Structure formats: structure tokens, C-alpha cells
Amino acid sequence: LQYSLYFYDANMCGSQVSERSRLTWRGDCHTSDEVDGGFHDAGDHAMFGLPQGFTASTLGWSYYEFGDAYDSLGQTAHFKVISDHFSEFFRNCTKLSGDNVSSICIQKGIGQTDHNYWGSPEAQGYRGGCDWRSSGCGDIAAEYAASLALSYINFGSAEDLKYAKALYKYAKNNASTSNGDCEGFYSSKSVNDDIAWAAGW
């Protein structure tokens, strides 16, 4: 379990990597991004909302089901750092107007530009901006909502619950699949599964 969690320490992004990652060879990276934090995708450095939301919610589910195992193995504190890093990123990717979502960031970086770079994230520099949407992409919003709801269930942050509810409402009102650059890397054929997943939590 500990070595599995190191995967996330290796792929952590943002201005607090040197403080949060348990891998001493990782440092802060992509600190000029409009939205700080998150985790790199699949060993590359672009960041896509759909797999990131699904990953975070599945990890949260694992702790929900097997928290006693995390506790007995001394991994709860390590997992919480990773969970909090995900949650902070999803909140920063969500702009609220009252209790409603006005826009969400569904992606950081440009997929092909990132794939053409071979090097460390610390040395990459600017790799493309953030993709903000004010309509559609209900599948991504639902995955963010599921993850934040699980974070609230697991660790009790009222701020996570507030954003989870707003993102869930946005997903229901924008029940369409994501589009844009992420389509070339992670196609989404249905939004209903993501909304049901968020609704359950």
C-alpha cells in the first residue's frame, strides 16, 4: 500500500510538492499555472479532469472501505496528504457564484505539446494554460463532486462538501460529456455513469 501511494508522490504538481511529497527527489513544478496543484497524468505532465477526478474518487472509496487497514499499516496520514492535495486542486478548479458553479477548469496543459517534451516537470516550464468551461463537461464536474464528497465523508471538511454539492448540481444541469483537447486522450461516451457515481456519495 505504501509503495502504491508513492506513485502519487511522484506525480504531484504545484508549488507545494517539496513540502508534501515523500520523495526527496521531487520539487515544486509548474508554479506559474493559473490553477496550482493536482497530479500529472500517466507519467506525463498534462492534467486531464476526467481521469484525475475518477482516480481521486476511487482512492477515496478505498479509504472509506478499508480505513482500518490504512490505520493499522500507518498509512492514513500519508493518504490524507494525497487526498487533501486532490481536494484543494478540485476546489481551485471550481469558480463559485454563491452556491452555483460559474466555471470549471477541465484541463491544464496541452496534451500533444506535453507528449513532445521529455524531461522532468521541474524543468519543463510553461506547457499551455488552463481550459475553463462554463457549460457542458458534466462528466468531469461529477467526478470532481464524487471525490470531494468522499473527502468530506472520510475527513470531515465542510468546504469539500460545499463544493461537492455545487459541482453535483452543475453536473445535473450540464449533463453532457467533455470535449476539447481531452477528447483526443480520454473520450467520454456517457455522463450518466459519472452523475450516478457522484449522486451515490
Side-chain angles (χ1 to χ4, degrees):
L1 180 62
Q2 181 178 5
Y3 278 92
S4 295
L5 292 176
Y6 282 152
F7 174 83
Y8 299 95
D9 293 280
N11 285 286
M12 196 174 282
C13 180
S15 62
Q16 295 181 296
V17 175
S18 58
E19 300 168 37
R20 295 177 176 175
S21 176
R22 291 201 174 187
L23 302 179
T24 57
W25 48 267
R26 280 303 323 279
D28 296 349
C29 62
H30 303 124
T31 55
S32 63
D33 285 349
E34 181 185 354
V35 179
D36 191 37
F39 292 82
H40 300 136
D41 181 78
D44 298 313
H45 307 143
M47 303 168 77
F48 300 98
L50 193 62
Q52 188 146 189
F54 175 78
T55 298
S57 60
T58 302
L59 280 173
W61 183 23
S62 77
Y63 183 81
Y64 174 79
E65 294 285 355
F66 304 110
D68 54 345
Y70 279 83
D71 291 343
S72 66
L73 294 168
Q75 296 304 311
T76 295
H78 186 188
F79 172 73
K80 189 174 186 304
V81 169
I82 293 166
S83 176
D84 287 349
H85 197 74
F86 270 120
S87 295
E88 182 180 276
F89 177 67
F90 296 144
R91 293 194 308 268
N92 289 340
C93 282
T94 306
K95 292 182 180 178
L96 294 181
S97 176
D99 293 331
N100 296 308
V101 172
S102 58
S103 61
I104 60 170
C105 175
I106 66 165
Q107 180 178 324
K108 290 207 301 180
I110 300 170
Q112 199 55 54
T113 299
D114 181 76
H115 281 210
N116 292 336
Y117 170 77
W118 188 254
S120 71
E122 291 85 354
Q124 186 176 17
Y126 185 74
R127 70 206 188 291
C130 292
D131 186 348
W132 289 91
R133 303 297 175 93
S134 56
S135 62
C137 302
D139 48 359
I140 294 175
E143 292 294 344
Y144 289 2
S147 174
L148 288 164
L150 274 155
S151 180
Y152 168 74
I153 292 167
N154 289 333
F155 299 113
S157 167
E159 194 75 355
D160 286 344
L161 181 60
K162 171 185 172 182
Y163 276 81
K165 288 180 175 180
L167 283 159
Y168 176 63
K169 181 165 64 173
Y170 173 93
K172 288 197 300 179
N173 292 334
N174 291 270
S176 62
T177 56
S178 53
N179 50 30
D181 182 47
C182 55
E183 276 294 308
F185 296 87
Y186 296 97
S187 60
S188 177
K189 296 179 175 59
S190 171
V191 67
N192 295 331
D193 55 336
D194 305 289
I195 292 177
W197 178 236
W201 296 113

